[in-house]
Amino acid sequence: MPVGELAEGLAALSGGDESVDLRALVGEFRRSVVLVPTLDDSLLTVESEGLRWLFAFTGEEPLADFARARGLGDDSRAAYLTMRGARLLDVVVPAVPGPAGVAVDAGSGAGMLLPPVRGVVPDEAAVDASAVQGEGNG
């Protein structure tokens, strides 16, 4: 799926379009090739309120804007890896110690958070999985 469709969906969502199907948008993310910034040969992450957030960008421009705003380099070319969103959610997120989600196009007007919940990340990496797994054990 072209990353342009993901960017368009994010823009519609940030513009207040209530008809945006969030499940479909997560599906677009999973099919898209995204840019995942690195710093010192590690994925760039931030921790907030006990959650680790990885970053993913729909293109070089939003990534460059993010990098410039955070002083991550003197030029507009930040280091990054490319991968499908599905690989980021299904392989990388579960490998991160503790709960982790993905911040898509962080710092832009059309950003979105993909939290570590069932339906977004694998159940073993979801913060709500233990509550659901425990429901049948009463």
Side-chain angles (χ1 to χ4, degrees):
M1 188 65 53
V3 76
E5 292 182 32
L6 174 61
E8 288 174 13
L10 291 172
L13 184 64
S14 70
D17 184 345
E18 294 180 15
S19 69
V20 175
D21 181 342
L22 294 177
R23 288 185 192 268
L25 197 54
V26 171
E28 292 290 340
F29 177 81
R30 296 181 73 74
R31 290 183 291 275
S32 296
V33 174
V34 294
L35 312 180
V36 181
T38 61
L39 183 63
D40 299 328
D41 297 325
S42 295
L43 297 181
L44 183 63
T45 66
V46 65
E47 187 172 330
S48 177
E49 297 183 23
L51 291 176
R52 172 89 27 209
W53 294 97
L54 298 115
F55 297 98
F57 293 87
T58 57
E60 288 184 345
E61 187 175 330
L63 173 56
D65 291 345
F66 174 84
R68 276 192 301 271
R70 279 141 189 87
L72 298 176
D74 294 333
D75 61 49
S76 63
R77 296 182 311 172
Y80 62 86
L81 301 172
T82 59
M83 68 181 72
R84 291 224 179 262
R87 182 170 178 81
L88 187 60
L89 292 173
D90 295 344
V91 177
V92 178
V93 165
V96 173
V102 177
V104 183
D105 284 352
S108 76
M112 177 174 95
L113 295 176
L114 297 175
V117 296
R118 291 182 42 209
V120 176
V121 299
D123 286 352
E124 66 270 14
V127 295
D128 61 341
S130 60
V132 172
Q133 291 169 354
E135 285 178 6
N137 298 333

